[in-house]
Amino acid sequence: MGEVFTERTPRVVAARKLTRRAGRDAAGQFLAEGPQAVREALAHDPPPVELFVTDAAADRHAELVERAQAAGVPVSAVSARAAAALSETATPQGIVAVCPALDVPLATALAGTPRLVAVLADIRDPGNAGTVLRSADAAGADAVVLAGNSVDPYNGKTVRASAGSLFHLPVVRGAPLPEV
């Protein structure tokens, strides 16, 4: 993989900004941390724009590194400190994908004849939002709408709690509650 990036490397510094909503909104990207989220991100179209991985995580998850390389996703080696800087968990897993935002407009999500749409109205807890995303996916929902002042679906805790389901169905964020 070549050079090992540190927490001060410009690409890591830029990715670190994605741990905050303002950074995610400005870049139109978010972080997917851990092997499950990375696996789902790599199976999604469009794929991640970059994969950061420590040597230890690259050894543990060699198949994910290979899949990323086969898909043309740049794989960058990072130090443990850099991985910790990109992590929002107490125990960083050492593998983080930078993903393009996935949200769609409300009209797109509701086009056709959706049978089941999960609507979250002013849901503020990221863990609850991720659980609803996961449950909606399991129930075969056609879309999830985060309306009003609901939490950002790209919040690290929401992404983790969704267990990859964020990549499986259309997600609308910031839709005005009266319109929904």
Side-chain angles (χ1 to χ4, degrees):
M1 284 185 283
E3 172 189 6
V4 176
F5 292 166
T6 70
E7 66 278 9
R8 292 187 196 96
T9 303
R11 292 215 317 258
V12 173
V13 170
R16 173 97 173 104
K17 291 178 182 174
L18 302 177
T19 61
R20 300 179 54 84
R21 184 172 187 155
R24 293 189 295 270
D25 288 346
Q29 298 175 330
F30 69 100
L31 298 177
E33 180 185 359
Q36 177 65 25
V38 168
R39 183 174 294 106
E40 298 300 331
L42 288 169
H44 190 267
D45 184 31
V49 297
E50 185 164 15
L51 181 66
F52 292 107
V53 63
T54 62
D55 285 342
D59 289 343
R60 276 193 313 274
H61 307 292
E63 79 285 355
L64 295 177
V65 172
E66 290 167 13
R67 282 178 59 189
Q69 292 169 328
V73 175
V75 178
S76 301
V78 294
S79 67
R81 285 183 65 163
L86 295 172
S87 177
E88 296 180 54
T89 62
T91 309
Q93 298 185 48
I95 186 165
V96 179
V98 177
C99 303
L102 308 170
D103 48 302
V104 298
L106 183 62
T108 302
L110 301 180
T113 53
R115 294 172 300 124
L116 177 62
V117 176
V119 178
L120 290 78
D122 295 328
I123 299 296
R124 303 301 301 154
D125 183 85
N128 288 347
T131 299
V132 170
L133 277 161
R134 192 173 68 243
S135 300
D137 184 23
D142 297 298
V144 173
V145 178
L146 288 97
N149 291 317
S150 289
V151 68
D152 180 10
Y154 305 128
N155 172 298
K157 189 172 183 179
T158 304
V159 174
R160 284 189 307 281
S162 82
S165 289
L166 177 64
F167 297 99
H168 297 171
L169 57 159
V171 175
V172 178
R173 68 178 179 145
L177 206 46
E179 181 181 344
V180 174

Coordinates of all heavy atoms in Angstrom, one line a residue, residues 42-112:
L42 N -18.7 -1.3 -0.1 CA -18.0 -1.8 -1.3 C -19.0 -2.5 -2.3 O -18.7 -2.5 -3.5 CB -16.9 -2.7 -0.9 CG -15.7 -2.1 -0.3 CD1 -14.8 -3.1 0.3 CD2 -15.0 -1.2 -1.3
A43 N -20.1 -3.0 -1.7 CA -21.1 -3.6 -2.6 C -22.1 -2.6 -3.2 O -22.9 -3.0 -4.1 CB -21.9 -4.7 -1.8
H44 N -22.0 -1.4 -2.8 CA -22.9 -0.4 -3.2 C -22.4 0.4 -4.5 O -21.2 0.5 -4.7 CB -23.2 0.6 -2.1 CG -24.3 1.6 -2.4 ND1 -24.1 2.8 -2.9 CD2 -25.6 1.5 -2.1 CE1 -25.2 3.4 -3.0 NE2 -26.2 2.6 -2.6
D45 N -23.3 0.9 -5.3 CA -22.9 1.8 -6.4 C -23.5 3.1 -6.2 O -24.7 3.2 -6.0 CB -23.4 1.1 -7.7 CG -22.9 1.9 -8.9 OD1 -21.9 2.5 -8.9 OD2 -23.7 1.9 -9.9
P46 N -22.7 4.2 -6.1 CA -21.3 4.2 -6.3 C -20.5 3.7 -5.1 O -21.0 3.8 -3.9 CB -21.0 5.7 -6.5 CG -22.0 6.4 -5.7 CD -23.3 5.5 -5.8
P47 N -19.3 3.2 -5.3 CA -18.5 2.6 -4.2 C -17.8 3.8 -3.4 O -17.9 4.9 -3.8 CB -17.4 1.8 -5.0 CG -17.2 2.6 -6.3 CD -18.6 3.1 -6.6
P48 N -17.1 3.4 -2.4 CA -16.4 4.4 -1.6 C -15.4 5.2 -2.4 O -14.9 4.6 -3.5 CB -15.7 3.6 -0.5 CG -16.5 2.4 -0.4 CD -17.0 2.1 -1.7
V49 N -15.0 6.3 -2.0 CA -14.0 7.1 -2.7 C -12.6 6.8 -2.2 O -11.6 7.0 -2.9 CB -14.2 8.6 -2.7 CG1 -15.5 8.9 -3.4 CG2 -14.3 9.2 -1.3
E50 N -12.5 6.2 -1.0 CA -11.2 5.8 -0.4 C -11.4 4.9 0.7 O -12.5 5.0 1.4 CB -10.4 7.1 0.0 CG -9.0 6.8 0.5 CD -8.1 8.0 0.6 OE1 -8.6 9.1 0.5 OE2 -6.9 7.8 0.7
L51 N -10.5 4.0 1.0 CA -10.5 3.2 2.1 C -9.2 3.4 2.9 O -8.1 3.3 2.4 CB -10.6 1.7 1.7 CG -10.6 0.6 2.8 CD1 -11.9 0.8 3.6 CD2 -10.5 -0.8 2.2
F52 N -9.4 3.7 4.2 CA -8.2 3.8 5.1 C -8.2 2.6 6.0 O -9.2 2.1 6.5 CB -8.4 5.1 6.0 CG -8.4 6.4 5.3 CD1 -9.5 7.1 5.1 CD2 -7.2 6.9 4.9 CE1 -9.5 8.4 4.5 CE2 -7.1 8.1 4.2 CZ -8.3 8.9 4.0
V53 N -7.0 2.0 6.1 CA -6.9 0.8 6.9 C -5.5 0.7 7.5 O -4.5 1.0 7.0 CB -7.1 -0.5 5.9 CG1 -6.1 -0.5 4.8 CG2 -7.2 -1.7 6.7
T54 N -5.5 0.2 8.8 CA -4.2 0.0 9.5 C -3.7 -1.4 9.0 O -4.4 -2.2 8.4 CB -4.4 -0.1 11.0 OG1 -5.3 -1.2 11.3 CG2 -5.0 1.2 11.6
D55 N -2.4 -1.6 9.2 CA -1.8 -2.9 8.8 C -2.5 -4.1 9.5 O -2.8 -5.1 8.8 CB -0.3 -2.9 9.2 CG 0.6 -2.1 8.3 OD1 0.1 -1.7 7.2 OD2 1.7 -1.7 8.7
A56 N -2.8 -3.9 10.8 CA -3.5 -5.0 11.5 C -4.9 -5.3 10.9 O -5.2 -6.5 10.7 CB -3.6 -4.7 13.0
A57 N -5.6 -4.2 10.6 CA -6.9 -4.4 10.0 C -6.8 -5.0 8.6 O -7.7 -5.8 8.2 CB -7.7 -3.1 10.0
A58 N -5.8 -4.6 7.9 CA -5.6 -5.1 6.5 C -5.4 -6.6 6.5 O -5.8 -7.4 5.7 CB -4.4 -4.4 5.8
D59 N -4.6 -7.1 7.6 CA -4.4 -8.5 7.7 C -5.7 -9.2 8.1 O -6.0 -10.3 7.5 CB -3.4 -8.8 8.8 CG -1.9 -8.3 8.4 OD1 -1.7 -8.2 7.2 OD2 -1.1 -8.2 9.3
R60 N -6.5 -8.6 9.0 CA -7.7 -9.3 9.5 C -8.8 -9.3 8.4 O -9.6 -10.1 8.4 CB -8.3 -8.5 10.7 CG -7.7 -8.9 12.0 CD -8.5 -8.4 13.2 NE -8.9 -7.0 13.1 CZ -8.1 -6.0 13.5 NH1 -6.9 -6.2 14.0 NH2 -8.5 -4.7 13.4
H61 N -8.8 -8.2 7.6 CA -9.8 -8.1 6.6 C -9.3 -8.0 5.2 O -9.7 -7.1 4.4 CB -10.7 -6.8 6.9 CG -11.2 -6.8 8.3 ND1 -12.1 -7.7 8.7 CD2 -10.8 -6.1 9.4 CE1 -12.4 -7.5 10.0 NE2 -11.6 -6.5 10.4
A62 N -8.4 -8.9 4.8 CA -7.7 -8.9 3.5 C -8.7 -8.9 2.4 O -8.5 -8.3 1.4 CB -6.7 -10.0 3.5
E63 N -9.8 -9.7 2.6 CA -10.8 -9.8 1.5 C -11.4 -8.4 1.2 O -11.7 -8.1 0.0 CB -11.8 -10.8 1.8 CG -13.0 -10.4 2.7 CD -12.6 -10.3 4.2 OE1 -11.5 -10.6 4.6 OE2 -13.5 -9.8 5.0
L64 N -11.6 -7.6 2.2 CA -12.2 -6.2 1.9 C -11.2 -5.3 1.2 O -11.6 -4.6 0.3 CB -12.6 -5.6 3.2 CG -13.8 -6.3 4.0 CD1 -14.1 -5.6 5.3 CD2 -15.0 -6.4 3.1
V65 N -9.9 -5.4 1.6 CA -8.9 -4.7 0.9 C -8.8 -5.1 -0.6 O -8.7 -4.3 -1.5 CB -7.5 -4.8 1.6 CG1 -6.4 -4.2 0.8 CG2 -7.6 -4.2 3.0
E66 N -8.8 -6.4 -0.8 CA -8.8 -6.9 -2.2 C -10.0 -6.5 -3.0 O -9.9 -6.1 -4.1 CB -8.7 -8.4 -2.2 CG -7.4 -9.0 -1.7 CD -7.4 -10.4 -1.4 OE1 -8.3 -11.2 -1.7 OE2 -6.4 -10.9 -0.7
R67 N -11.2 -6.5 -2.4 CA -12.4 -6.0 -3.0 C -12.3 -4.6 -3.4 O -12.7 -4.1 -4.5 CB -13.7 -6.3 -2.2 CG -14.1 -7.8 -2.2 CD -15.3 -8.0 -1.4 NE -16.5 -7.2 -1.7 CZ -17.6 -7.2 -1.0 NH1 -17.7 -7.8 0.1 NH2 -18.6 -6.4 -1.4
A68 N -11.8 -3.8 -2.5 CA -11.6 -2.3 -2.7 C -10.7 -2.1 -3.9 O -11.0 -1.3 -4.8 CB -11.1 -1.6 -1.5
Q69 N -9.6 -2.8 -3.9 CA -8.6 -2.6 -4.9 C -9.2 -3.1 -6.3 O -9.0 -2.4 -7.3 CB -7.3 -3.4 -4.6 CG -6.5 -2.8 -3.5 CD -5.4 -3.6 -2.9 OE1 -5.5 -4.9 -3.0 NE2 -4.4 -3.0 -2.4
A70 N -9.9 -4.2 -6.3 CA -10.5 -4.7 -7.5 C -11.6 -3.7 -8.1 O -11.8 -3.6 -9.3 CB -11.2 -6.0 -7.3
A71 N -12.2 -2.9 -7.2 CA -13.2 -2.0 -7.6 C -12.6 -0.6 -7.9 O -13.3 0.3 -8.3 CB -14.2 -1.8 -6.4
G72 N -11.3 -0.5 -7.8 CA -10.6 0.8 -8.1 C -10.7 1.8 -7.0 O -10.4 3.0 -7.3
V73 N -11.0 1.3 -5.8 CA -11.1 2.3 -4.7 C -9.7 2.4 -4.1 O -9.1 1.4 -3.8 CB -12.0 1.7 -3.6 CG1 -12.0 2.6 -2.3 CG2 -13.5 1.5 -4.1
P74 N -9.2 3.6 -4.0 CA -7.8 3.8 -3.4 C -7.8 3.3 -2.0 O -8.7 3.6 -1.2 CB -7.6 5.3 -3.5 CG -8.6 5.8 -4.5 CD -9.8 4.9 -4.4
V75 N -6.8 2.5 -1.7 CA -6.6 2.0 -0.3 C -5.4 2.6 0.3 O -4.3 2.5 -0.3 CB -6.4 0.4 -0.4 CG1 -6.2 -0.1 1.1 CG2 -7.7 -0.2 -1.0
S76 N -5.6 3.3 1.4 CA -4.5 4.0 2.0 C -4.2 3.5 3.4 O -5.1 3.3 4.2 CB -4.9 5.5 2.2 OG -5.1 6.1 0.9
A77 N -2.9 3.1 3.6 CA -2.5 2.6 4.9 C -2.4 3.8 5.9 O -1.9 4.9 5.5 CB -1.1 2.0 4.8
V78 N -2.9 3.6 7.1 CA -2.9 4.6 8.1 C -2.3 4.0 9.4 O -2.4 2.8 9.7 CB -4.3 5.2 8.4 CG1 -4.8 6.0 7.2 CG2 -5.3 4.1 8.9
S79 N -1.7 4.9 10.2 CA -1.3 4.5 11.5 C -2.4 4.3 12.4 O -3.6 4.7 12.1 CB -0.4 5.6 12.1 OG -1.2 6.8 12.4
A80 N -2.2 3.6 13.5 CA -3.2 3.4 14.5 C -3.8 4.7 15.0 O -5.0 4.9 15.3 CB -2.7 2.6 15.7
R81 N -2.9 5.7 15.2 CA -3.4 7.1 15.7 C -4.3 7.7 14.6 O -5.3 8.4 15.0 CB -2.2 8.0 16.0 CG -1.6 7.6 17.3 CD -0.4 8.5 17.7 NE -1.0 9.8 17.9 CZ -0.3 10.8 18.5 NH1 0.9 10.6 19.0 NH2 -0.9 12.0 18.7
A82 N -3.9 7.6 13.4 CA -4.8 8.1 12.3 C -6.1 7.4 12.3 O -7.2 8.1 12.1 CB -4.1 8.0 10.9
A83 N -6.1 6.1 12.4 CA -7.4 5.4 12.5 C -8.2 5.8 13.7 O -9.5 6.0 13.6 CB -7.1 3.9 12.6
A84 N -7.6 6.1 14.8 CA -8.3 6.6 16.0 C -8.9 8.0 15.7 O -10.0 8.3 16.2 CB -7.4 6.6 17.2
A85 N -8.2 8.8 15.0 CA -8.7 10.1 14.7 C -9.9 10.1 13.8 O -10.8 10.9 13.8 CB -7.6 10.9 14.0
L86 N -10.0 9.0 12.9 CA -11.2 8.8 12.0 C -12.3 8.1 12.7 O -13.4 8.0 12.1 CB -10.7 8.1 10.8 CG -9.7 8.8 9.9 CD1 -9.2 7.9 8.8 CD2 -10.3 10.1 9.3
S87 N -12.1 7.6 13.9 CA -13.1 6.7 14.5 C -13.9 7.6 15.5 O -13.4 8.5 16.1 CB -12.4 5.6 15.3 OG -13.3 4.9 16.0
E88 N -15.1 7.2 15.7 CA -16.0 7.8 16.7 C -16.3 6.7 17.8 O -17.2 6.9 18.6 CB -17.3 8.3 16.1 CG -17.0 9.4 15.1 CD -18.3 9.9 14.4 OE1 -19.3 10.3 15.2 OE2 -18.4 9.9 13.2
T89 N -15.5 5.6 17.8 CA -15.8 4.6 18.8 C -14.6 4.6 19.8 O -13.5 5.0 19.5 CB -15.9 3.2 18.2 OG1 -14.7 2.9 17.5 CG2 -17.0 3.2 17.2
A90 N -14.8 4.0 21.0 CA -13.8 3.9 22.0 C -12.7 2.9 21.5 O -11.5 3.1 21.9 CB -14.4 3.4 23.3
T91 N -13.1 1.9 20.7 CA -12.1 0.9 20.2 C -12.1 0.9 18.7 O -12.9 0.3 18.1 CB -12.4 -0.5 20.7 OG1 -12.6 -0.4 22.2 CG2 -11.3 -1.5 20.4
P92 N -11.3 1.8 18.1 CA -11.3 1.8 16.6 C -11.0 0.5 16.0 O -10.2 -0.3 16.5 CB -10.1 2.8 16.3 CG -9.9 3.6 17.5 CD -10.3 2.6 18.7
Q93 N -11.7 0.2 14.9 CA -11.6 -1.1 14.2 C -10.5 -1.1 13.1 O -10.2 -2.1 12.5 CB -12.9 -1.5 13.6 CG -13.9 -1.7 14.8 CD -15.2 -2.3 14.2 OE1 -15.3 -3.2 13.5 NE2 -16.3 -1.7 14.7
G94 N -10.0 0.1 12.8 CA -8.8 0.2 11.9 C -9.2 0.1 10.4 O -8.3 0.1 9.6
I95 N -10.5 0.2 10.1 CA -10.9 0.1 8.7 C -12.1 1.1 8.5 O -13.1 1.0 9.2 CB -11.2 -1.3 8.2 CG1 -11.5 -1.3 6.7 CG2 -12.3 -1.9 9.0 CD1 -11.4 -2.7 6.1
V96 N -11.8 2.1 7.6 CA -12.8 3.2 7.5 C -12.9 3.5 6.0 O -11.9 3.8 5.3 CB -12.4 4.5 8.3 CG1 -13.4 5.6 8.1 CG2 -12.2 4.2 9.7
A97 N -14.1 3.6 5.5 CA -14.4 4.0 4.1 C -14.9 5.4 4.0 O -15.8 5.7 4.8 CB -15.3 3.0 3.4
V98 N -14.4 6.2 3.1 CA -15.0 7.5 2.8 C -16.0 7.3 1.7 O -15.7 6.8 0.6 CB -13.9 8.5 2.3 CG1 -14.6 9.8 2.0 CG2 -12.9 8.7 3.4
C99 N -17.3 7.5 2.0 CA -18.4 7.2 1.0 C -19.1 8.5 0.5 O -19.3 9.4 1.3 CB -19.4 6.3 1.7 SG -18.7 4.8 2.4
P100 N -19.5 8.4 -0.7 CA -20.4 9.6 -1.2 C -21.7 9.5 -0.5 O -22.2 8.4 -0.2 CB -20.5 9.3 -2.7 CG -20.2 7.9 -2.9 CD -19.3 7.4 -1.7
A101 N -22.3 10.7 -0.3 CA -23.6 10.8 0.3 C -24.6 10.0 -0.6 O -24.5 10.0 -1.8 CB -24.1 12.2 0.5
L102 N -25.6 9.3 0.1 CA -26.5 8.5 -0.6 C -27.9 9.0 -0.7 O -28.8 8.4 -1.4 CB -26.6 7.1 0.1 CG -25.3 6.4 0.4 CD1 -25.5 5.2 1.3 CD2 -24.6 6.0 -0.9
D103 N -28.2 10.1 0.0 CA -29.6 10.5 0.1 C -30.2 10.9 -1.2 O -29.5 11.4 -2.1 CB -29.8 11.6 1.2 CG -28.8 12.7 1.0 OD1 -27.6 12.5 1.1 OD2 -29.2 13.9 0.9
V104 N -31.5 10.8 -1.3 CA -32.3 11.1 -2.5 C -33.4 12.1 -2.2 O -33.8 12.1 -1.0 CB -32.9 9.8 -3.2 CG1 -31.8 8.8 -3.6 CG2 -33.9 9.1 -2.3
P105 N -33.9 12.8 -3.2 CA -35.0 13.7 -2.9 C -36.3 12.9 -2.6 O -36.4 11.8 -3.0 CB -35.2 14.4 -4.2 CG -33.9 14.2 -5.0 CD -33.4 12.9 -4.5
L106 N -37.2 13.5 -1.8 CA -38.4 12.9 -1.4 C -39.2 12.4 -2.6 O -39.7 11.2 -2.6 CB -39.3 13.9 -0.6 CG -40.6 13.3 0.0 CD1 -40.3 12.1 1.0 CD2 -41.3 14.4 0.7
A107 N -39.3 13.2 -3.7 CA -40.1 12.7 -4.8 C -39.5 11.5 -5.5 O -40.2 10.6 -5.9 CB -40.1 13.9 -5.9
T108 N -38.2 11.4 -5.5 CA -37.5 10.2 -6.0 C -37.8 9.0 -5.2 O -38.1 7.9 -5.7 CB -36.0 10.4 -6.1 OG1 -35.8 11.5 -6.9 CG2 -35.3 9.2 -6.7
A109 N -37.7 9.1 -3.9 CA -38.0 8.0 -3.0 C -39.4 7.5 -3.0 O -39.7 6.3 -2.8 CB -37.6 8.4 -1.5
L110 N -40.3 8.4 -3.3 CA -41.8 8.1 -3.3 C -42.3 7.8 -4.7 O -43.5 7.6 -4.9 CB -42.6 9.1 -2.6 CG -42.2 9.4 -1.1 CD1 -43.1 10.5 -0.6 CD2 -42.3 8.1 -0.3
A111 N -41.4 7.9 -5.7 CA -41.8 7.6 -7.1 C -42.4 6.2 -7.3 O -42.0 5.3 -6.5 CB -40.7 7.9 -8.1
G112 N -43.3 6.0 -8.2 CA -43.9 4.7 -8.4 C -44.9 4.5 -7.3 O -45.6 5.4 -6.9

